[in-house]
């Protein structure tokens, strides 16, 4: 692929002969298999992650104990209880998978003499080394200062999931934003219905809590729902747009020159969510088959 070194001068990257592998310690013996547990020890990220779970639990509490259990219509309560709790479970499962999946970290410290020799570079061929984590940087990888690693197709570091969003966990992140947007919308609709029904009835019969406590709990839930509905649906739209165009958030920000093969929007979706289209696209438990989808990359 053609590119002039001047275009790539943003990072400190040198030709093979100047990589100075002697400055890199050999990589740790631990393998980087996708089955290994991945967790970033970042205080801010851990606090944001815990807050996310607590906000979902607060919404669960208000929906179940303030609105659904005291409601007189059993079918209404069961239907909405199943839908809301199912979506909340999928949101938390997606959050957990986004947080604990290796986003596509490049092996740390692999810029050793042996590794560079094993690449059998042709004269004039350029490889890039990250000066911060001493790794040979694949195309489209970026260094994250929170994860302290280079991440393949890094989109951004998200403190709410305490992880980078990259090649291997973008599906879980998109599902997380989608399920949070859906439970926010569902909660807002239930709060609106609750106010409509309870204004006609006696408030004391409408909730097992006192009327002022009920109103405060519902107003707090409405604020939370509205805030997160706006935030996560904008994030969801941005993510789907960047997946369709196969351009990460960082590449858009840096206005990087496009050096990778162009695929159809549909094929770009398959690369992230797996091939072929199935219900597993919506499941945070199904690992997308990136390899298979990549095989179809030239099919338009
Ligand atoms: Zn790096
Ligand atoms: Zn990161």
């Amino acid at each position: 692929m053609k590119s002039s070194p001047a275009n790539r001068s943003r990072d400190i990257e040198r030709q093979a002969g100047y990589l100075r592998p002697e400055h890199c310690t050999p990589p740790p013996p631990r393998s980087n298999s996708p089955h290994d547990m991945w967790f970033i020890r970042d205080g801010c990220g851990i606090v944001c992650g815990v807050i996310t779970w607590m906000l979902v639990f607060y919404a669960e509490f208000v929906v179940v104990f303030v609105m659904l259990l005291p409601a007189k219509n059993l079918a209404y309560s069961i239907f909405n209880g199943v839908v809301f709790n199912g979506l909340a479970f999928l949101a938390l499962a997606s959050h957990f998978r986004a947080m604990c999946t290796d986003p596509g970290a490049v092996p740390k410290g692999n810029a050793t003499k042996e590794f560079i020799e094993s690449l059998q570079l042709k004269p004039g061929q350029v490889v890039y080394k990250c000066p911060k984590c001493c790794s040979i940087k694949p195309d489209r990888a970026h260094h994250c200062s929170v994860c302290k690693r280079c991440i393949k197709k890094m989109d951004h570091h998200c403190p709410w999931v305490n992880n980078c969003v990259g090649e291997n966990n973008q599906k879980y992140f998109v599902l997380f934003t989608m399920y949070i947007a859906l439970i926010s919308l569902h909660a807002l609709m239930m709060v609106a219905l609750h106010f409509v029904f309870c204004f006609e009835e006696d408030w004391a019969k409408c909730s097992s809590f006192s009327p002022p406590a009920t109103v405060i709990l519902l107003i707090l839930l409405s604020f939370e729902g509205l805030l997160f509905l706006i935030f996560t649906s904008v994030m969801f739209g941005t993510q789907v747009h960047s997946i369709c165009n196969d351009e990460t958030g960082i590449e858009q920000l840096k206005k990087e020159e496009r050096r990778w093969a162009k695929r159809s929007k549909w094929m770009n979706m398959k690369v992230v969510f797996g091939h072929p289209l199935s219900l597993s696209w919506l499941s945070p438990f199904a690992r997308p088959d990136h390899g298979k989808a990549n095989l179809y990359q030239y099919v338009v």
Side-chain angles (χ1 to χ4, degrees), residues 116-190:
I116 293 164
E117 277 169 7
S118 76
L119 293 176
Q120 296 184 320
L121 299 172
K122 295 177 194 91
Q125 194 179 346
V126 182
V127 289
Y128 299 103
K129 177 189 142 186
C130 172
K132 293 165 198 146
C133 64
C134 258
S135 63
I136 296 290
K137 223 176 180 179
D139 214 11
R140 305 187 72 185
H142 288 277
H143 185 87
C144 170
S145 53
V146 182
C147 299
K148 298 186 178 68
R149 296 286 288 270
C150 277
I151 310 290
K152 284 185 244 164
K153 273 177 87 177
M154 176 182 167
D155 189 86
H156 69 290
H157 183 95
C158 174
W160 295 104
V161 296
N162 186 33
N163 202 0
C164 262
V165 177
E167 187 175 80
N168 293 344
N169 68 344
Q170 194 168 21
K171 173 194 169 181
Y172 308 129
F173 180 73
V174 175
L175 289 182
F176 167 65
T177 57
M178 184 184 83
Y179 287 125
I180 292 288
L182 287 176
I183 58 171
S184 302
L185 184 65
H186 191 199
L188 284 174
M189 283 159 58
M190 282 189 284

Side-chain angles (χ1 to χ4, degrees), residues 88-107:
F89 171 74
L90 288 169
L92 291 180
S94 305
H95 183 271
F96 180 80
R97 294 280 279 164
M99 182 168 64
C100 296
T101 301
D102 175 349
V106 177

Side-chain angles (χ1 to χ4, degrees), residues 158-276:
C158 174
W160 295 104
V161 296
N162 186 33
N163 202 0
C164 262
V165 177
E167 187 175 80
N168 293 344
N169 68 344
Q170 194 168 21
K171 173 194 169 181
Y172 308 129
F173 180 73
V174 175
L175 289 182
F176 167 65
T177 57
M178 184 184 83
Y179 287 125
I180 292 288
L182 287 176
I183 58 171
S184 302
L185 184 65
H186 191 199
L188 284 174
M189 283 159 58
M190 282 189 284
V191 171
L193 283 176
H194 201 78
F195 271 110
V196 169
F197 289 135
C198 291
F199 266 123
E200 291 169 2
E201 296 227 6
D202 179 6
W203 267 92
K205 284 185 201 157
C206 219
S207 164
S208 31
F209 293 83
S210 67
T214 305
V215 172
I216 291 171
L217 288 168
L218 290 180
I219 287 178
L220 284 178
L221 180 65
S222 309
F223 271 123
E224 183 193 343
L226 198 62
L227 194 72
F228 281 88
L229 175 63
I230 295 169
F231 183 64
T232 53
S233 48
V234 167
M235 199 70 211
F236 176 77
T238 315
Q239 284 286 305
V240 170
H241 179 261
S242 73
I243 291 171
C244 284
N245 291 316
D246 193 20
E247 197 174 35
T248 65
I250 292 185
E251 286 157 359
Q252 283 169 28
L253 270 178
K254 288 188 161 185
K255 297 195 169 43
E256 286 189 3
E257 183 202 7
R258 200 181 180 98
R259 302 181 297 271
W260 51 94
K262 211 168 181 175
R263 293 179 292 236
S264 70
K265 287 184 166 52
W266 185 234
M267 223 33 81
N268 288 330
M269 289 291 280
K270 283 181 175 177
V271 169
V272 173
F273 289 93
H275 180 87

